Amino acid sequence: MLSAEKRRLEVVDPDLCVGCMSCMFACSRRFGDSGLNYSAIHVRSVGGVERGFTVVVCRACEDPSCMKVCPTSALMPRKGGGVLLNQRLCIGCGFCAQACPFGAVFWDQNSNKPIICTHCGFCIPFCPYGVIK
Amino acid sequence: MSSKLVDDFLARVLHVDLSSRSFRIERREDLFINYLGGTGVALQLLKEEIDPEVDPLSPDNVVVMAIGVFTGVYPAASKMVAMFKSPLTGNLGESHAGGRAAIALRMAGFGALVIKGASETPIYLSIHDGRVEFRDASALWGVRSTLTIGKVLREREPWPGLRSIMRIGRAGERMVRYASVVLETYRHFGRLGLGAVWGSKKLKAVVIGGKRAIPVADKKAYREIYREIFEECLRNPATRKYHELGTAENVLPLNTIGALPTRNLRSARFECAEGISGESFASSSLARRVACAHCPIACVHIASIRERYAGEKYFYVTRYISYDYEPIYALGSMLGVEEIEGVLKLIEQTDVLGLDAISSGVALAWATEAFERGLLSEKDTLVKPSWGDWRAYMRMLELIVEQPNDFYEQLAKGTEEAARTYGGLDFALTFGGNEMPGYHTGPGAYLGYMIGLRHSHLDNAGYSVDQKYLGKPYPDPKALVDELVNEESWRQVLTSLSLCLFVRGIYTPGLISRALKPIGIELSEEELREIGREIYAGKLELKRRMGFDPLKLRIPRRVLEAESPHGMISEEYIKEALSYYSSRISSLSR
């Protein structure tokens, strides 16, 4: 078992996903509120629910695209891969969200800053179907 | 009781006028505080906006769609409640749909949507970022399949994954009185003809999307009780079963006790039930399970069928179709269809056209029997209906939509209307004008359909009352009515909270009371029950103003002729119960 700071969230098999969005609600709830505003994980259908779902979440890149385009160094490398966001330095330019080829950098409408997955694992127990680990 | 909602946005009611293509936003904190949302709020808004005498297919009919204080906050509060005047029954219409609609409306920053007026040309509404766009739908009108409409709007509209795409099919456009509204491909506002009302307003689709945070009052308590409910949804056998075989699980047990309506209820046992059972569907065709937004149960069962293209040696198409108990009953046993392929294709056809599966199946079953008895000729039906011939039924469903002659025009008005014209009322299986659901379990089921304020089996679960008393002394008519009314009153609380009725066993009065606290609402169990009684009374009152009289309800003879698990159903018993209900009506409706 990796230490918490090196842990990495993994999508095991998106075909197991039922699209219930419980992971998204969980992720958003880690700050206490309900709704979906703060979710760093996103589930959507692949062109209609009949074709199944895709689960979009940070894959903790070793050499992250998002970090390279950050003009203020608000995104710094995280030990297990991926990045950590320094809210204070972030100017909300949105380059990181554009740069991520997976579309895994989400946006906080309230603060106008990116939502970055910290790979904390809070969502995992709320996926009953083993899609993420 | 508190006087403020923690989430300010829920109180926003979006009023849309299709005639003037305008909208306004009204704050109605009072409604959500007093009635929690869903059924309770929709009822109040409808009462304020509608003339009870209105022609359901005129521009003056009003559609209200509402969600509740639990939507987007707790698991399985995933239903949107629609209320309107039904063109099928000419009385109060209420229909609930899962999918993503409820969550999408909350995320878009509204608690309810009120639609009035009618557009001159086809339009669709796009609701996001605090506004409504009125968009031309002329090119979408007349498109063959609702699935295509879904595809087109998916490409054109924002918020993928966080939206609902509700649309009508050709059945709604042509105002078949049991036309549905289809959403997210597999969920529906199925019953009582909401699709026809949209069609009469030239409203092809409503797309709603958004994303936001919902504040809660006590974050720690909220998180704890959320986890408790979430885990219970997955652990409780009462909800597990909906995930495993799904509602189709009911086919075999109902057939075993002799409660599965078969061939227009000439029998309540289907000799081929095994072939269309939940077990058979799962082993031969189950391809995927999906969930409504924010519900971990995932009860939606999707089958695949693989078919070779005609004239091709090695080229196949795979299609996905969802199945549930009710469509299997209505388009399977009720029509004598023995093969899974036939049932699935009929279900798909109702989806493509935007027809309610239950009403369609019952209408075709009546037509088949009327044809056999010589009340209808092939000149009327154009194709020859016969039990089990699903290919003929596929065509008849299309004809109901096309309405090429008088017969199909009548059938598009509902089974009861058609039987009034052509005869065969005795075996036209409608209650309060609504085609029956699939439970020939005993007097409870039928009384439930009759006095249930939506004429739905889910109003008061009479079918479940019947099953509870199997092998035990059956209650007298008065006790039965009281039991049904009590259940229905309580269910007003569940549907006002926009909870799915599949979680009724989890969301007990005690749990609801506890779960309301972290979102800043203090209500005791008794106060909750009182809200339920008040909403029930309000619905009954509006229903009476629309002409509802339990003593005028028709009891189709057929239900008295087919043996039920409680033996033959006695007409006297039903009449006594109805007259008792009628005597209680003034006190119940206050």
Side-chain angles (χ1 to χ4, degrees), chain B residues 279-312:
Chain B
E279 290 79 353
S280 295
F281 268 90
S283 63
S284 78
S285 311
L286 180 59
R288 190 178 290 286
R289 293 184 186 104
V290 302
C292 294
H294 209 186
C295 175
I297 298 166
C299 74
V300 184
H301 283 57
I302 297 174
S304 65
I305 38 179
R306 182 170 182 254
E307 242 187 326
R308 202 174 62 205
Y309 278 101
E312 288 278 351

Side-chain angles (χ1 to χ4, degrees), chain A residues 37 107-113 115, chain B residues 129 159 211-212:
Chain A
N37 191 57
W107 209 254
D108 179 347
Q109 312 272 330
N110 298 349
S111 66
N112 193 37
K113 289 192 176 156
I115 295 161
Chain B
D129 302 296
W159 296 108
K211 183 180 96 164
R212 66 185 186 90

Side-chain angles (χ1 to χ4, degrees), chain B residues 456-490:
Chain B
S456 157
H457 59 299
L458 291 171
D459 281 327
N460 44 36
Y463 64 95
S464 151
V465 173
D466 285 335
Q467 291 176 76
K468 186 175 79 182
Y469 289 114
L470 274 179
K472 293 180 196 147
Y474 201 80
D476 66 45
K478 291 179 181 174
L480 180 67
V481 166
D482 290 342
E483 189 169 346
L484 294 175
V485 169
N486 283 343
E487 179 65 21
E488 186 158 352
S489 299
W490 169 247

Side-chain angles (χ1 to χ4, degrees), chain B residues 291-551:
Chain B
C292 294
H294 209 186
C295 175
I297 298 166
C299 74
V300 184
H301 283 57
I302 297 174
S304 65
I305 38 179
R306 182 170 182 254
E307 242 187 326
R308 202 174 62 205
Y309 278 101
E312 288 278 351
K313 213 169 159 192
Y314 299 115
F315 189 39
Y316 296 83
V317 59
T318 302
R319 297 205 306 278
Y320 299 91
I321 302 149
S322 90
Y323 61 90
D324 263 301
Y325 171 70
E326 297 294 342
I328 294 175
Y329 134 74
L331 300 166
S333 65
M334 198 63 163
L335 297 176
V337 175
E338 304 167 10
E339 306 137 273
I340 283 182
E341 184 194 0
V343 176
L344 285 174
K345 285 192 173 166
L346 286 168
I347 295 175
E348 185 182 39
Q349 183 80 315
T350 58
D351 251 344
V352 162
L353 297 165
L355 283 167
D356 176 43
I358 302 179
S359 288
S360 300
V362 173
L364 292 179
W366 168 83
T368 307
E369 185 164 345
F371 184 85
E372 278 187 353
R373 288 168 179 259
L375 298 171
L376 300 171
S377 73
E378 215 167 324
K379 252 192 195 153
D380 300 311
T381 57
L382 304 177
V383 285
K384 203 173 143 202
S386 89
W387 306 116
D389 182 0
W390 54 266
R391 288 177 182 84
Y393 293 133
M394 293 279 286
R395 178 71 190 128
M396 287 176 82
L397 289 172
E398 263 179 20
L399 291 167
I400 289 172
V401 173
E402 288 166 17
Q403 300 162 44
N405 62 14
D406 289 346
F407 168 68
Y408 282 103
E409 266 177 41
Q410 291 307 315
L411 201 57
K413 289 181 183 161
T415 309
E416 188 149 332
E417 278 291 315
R420 286 194 194 285
T421 309
Y422 291 89
L425 262 177
D426 284 350
F427 54 88
L429 292 163
T430 60
F431 295 86
N434 191 25
E435 284 78 8
M436 75 175 267
Y439 306 88
H440 184 65
T441 49
Y446 291 107
L447 267 172
Y449 308 155
M450 282 188 257
I451 66 173
L453 300 179
R454 306 188 273 155
H455 304 290
S456 157
H457 59 299
L458 291 171
D459 281 327
N460 44 36
Y463 64 95
S464 151
V465 173
D466 285 335
Q467 291 176 76
K468 186 175 79 182
Y469 289 114
L470 274 179
K472 293 180 196 147
Y474 201 80
D476 66 45
K478 291 179 181 174
L480 180 67
V481 166
D482 290 342
E483 189 169 346
L484 294 175
V485 169
N486 283 343
E487 179 65 21
E488 186 158 352
S489 299
W490 169 247
R491 288 185 176 209
Q492 306 310 310
V493 175
L494 300 175
T495 59
S496 292
L497 290 164
S498 80
L499 288 165
C500 174
L501 288 170
F502 289 178
V503 291
R504 60 186 180 271
I506 292 173
Y507 281 91
T508 58
L511 177 71
I512 292 173
S513 179
R514 283 198 293 129
L516 284 167
K517 273 197 195 108
I519 57 172
I521 301 173
E522 297 266 353
L523 285 170
S524 69
E525 293 183 29
E526 185 42 39
E527 283 168 322
L528 283 168
R529 290 190 189 280
E530 182 50 28
I531 290 174
R533 287 190 288 266
E534 193 188 333
I535 297 168
Y536 179 91
K539 264 165 81 170
L540 181 56
E541 200 235 315
L542 181 57
K543 217 171 144 61
R544 286 177 76 197
R545 282 200 278 145
M546 290 179 169
F548 176 61
D549 177 356
L551 294 180

